[in-house]
């Protein structure tokens, strides 16, 4: 079983920390579908220290989500340590994760995120300083390297272990790949073979079978699911069941998808307020609708929604339309 420090998970399936997505409303929904660990979206160290209200809101944790990992990012040791101390003392997060993988220029130009990947000495120094300052277990999420000419993932992962980090999650792409191309799992395997602490594999886990293959063939301790869970918490549920029993559960029907989408919307409204939540939920609704035949019209209409009532009636109407079509096919 996946264990990070003294925190034990019920299973090795982990929700990845995705910026702009992994707030409490989404995490709780995924947790209820069986995730062993959920990770919060990354939070800026400086924004924590400036007591930025939006950032403080991002630190909210519903106790039903736990165990939970809260991710921070930054490029300077002093501010990263202070932010980690704040998270340690003022939140109920179980684990503090440090972001060493974010590839976007806005983050890397501040010497944060994936910029660390060029300097294993900095990795050691930064992680050791955070570990010394907090009580909670410290983990790191990293990529393979900056680009294909600078792949230091094994040195970087060993630096994390030497510094007292309790686990490493490795995304099998370089910074320059962004989210394109194929994730290279062979490097994740090399990291697993080099380290004694748990290694969590990430990248191109799109089906329950992918998750099992990563655990079996790469030998990782946990498997991290990111984009495949967007609008699809059933991916988490089906993966957990497949790993436990070998059985592939059915995909959900349209009505079930729309009901969970509305539950997600209501949680987001409770978290943020209706106006912000509905606007944010447009992208999530599109993800919930993905793969459903005949969804183009409703996906476009969702982007015009400004109230809960608009969105809910649209999703209910679509579910009913699909059920009527299905019934007509069966009768025919």
């Amino acid at each position: 079983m996946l264990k990070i420090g003294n925190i034990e998970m019920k299973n090795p399936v982990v929700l990845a920390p995705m910026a702009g997505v992994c707030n409490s409303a989404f995490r709780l929904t995924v947790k209820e579908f069986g995730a062993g660990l959920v990770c919060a979206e990354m939070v800026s160290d400086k924004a924590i220290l400036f007591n930025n209200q939006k950032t403080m809101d991002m630190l909210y944790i519903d106790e039903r989500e736990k165990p939970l990992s809260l991710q921070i990012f930054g490029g300077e040791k002093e501010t990263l340590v202070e932010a980690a101390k704040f998270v340690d003392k003022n939140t109920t997060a179980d684990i503090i994760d440090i972001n060493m993988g974010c590839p976007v220029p806005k983050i890397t130009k501040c010497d944060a995120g994936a910029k660390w990947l060029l300097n294993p000495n900095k990795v050691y120094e930064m992680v050791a300083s955070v570990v010394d300052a907090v009580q909670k277990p410290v983990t790191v999420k990293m990529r393979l390297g900056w680009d294909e000419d600078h792949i230091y993932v094994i040195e970087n992962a060993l630096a994390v272990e030497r510094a007292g980090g309790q686990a490493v999650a490795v995304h099998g792409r370089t910074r320059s790949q962004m989210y394109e191309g194929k994730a290279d799992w062979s490097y994740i395997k090399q990291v697993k073979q080099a380290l004694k602490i748990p290694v969590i594999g990430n990248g191109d886990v799109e089906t329950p079978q992918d998750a099992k293959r990563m655990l079996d063939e790469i030998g990782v301790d946990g498997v991290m699911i990111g984009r495949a869970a967007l609008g699809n918490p059933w991916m988490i549920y089906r993966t957990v069941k497949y790993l436990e029993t070998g059985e592939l559960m059915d995909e959900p029907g349209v009505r079930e998808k729309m009901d969970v989408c509305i539950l997600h919307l209501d949680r987001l409204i409770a978290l943020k307020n209706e106006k912000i939540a509905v606007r944010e939920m447009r992208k999530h609704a599109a993800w919930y609708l993905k793969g459903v035949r005949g969804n183009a019209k409703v996906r476009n209409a969702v982007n015009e929604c400004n109230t809960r009532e608009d969105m809910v009636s649209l999703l209910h109407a679509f579910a009913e339309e699909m059920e009527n079509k299905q019934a007509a096919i069966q009768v025919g």
Side-chain angles (χ1 to χ4, degrees), residues 269-284:
I269 290 170
L271 195 65
K272 300 200 171 188
N273 82 37
E274 184 175 0
K275 189 179 175 185
I276 294 169
V278 170
R279 203 164 57 234
E280 260 188 43
M281 198 65 199
R282 291 171 184 169
K283 65 184 178 191
H284 287 282

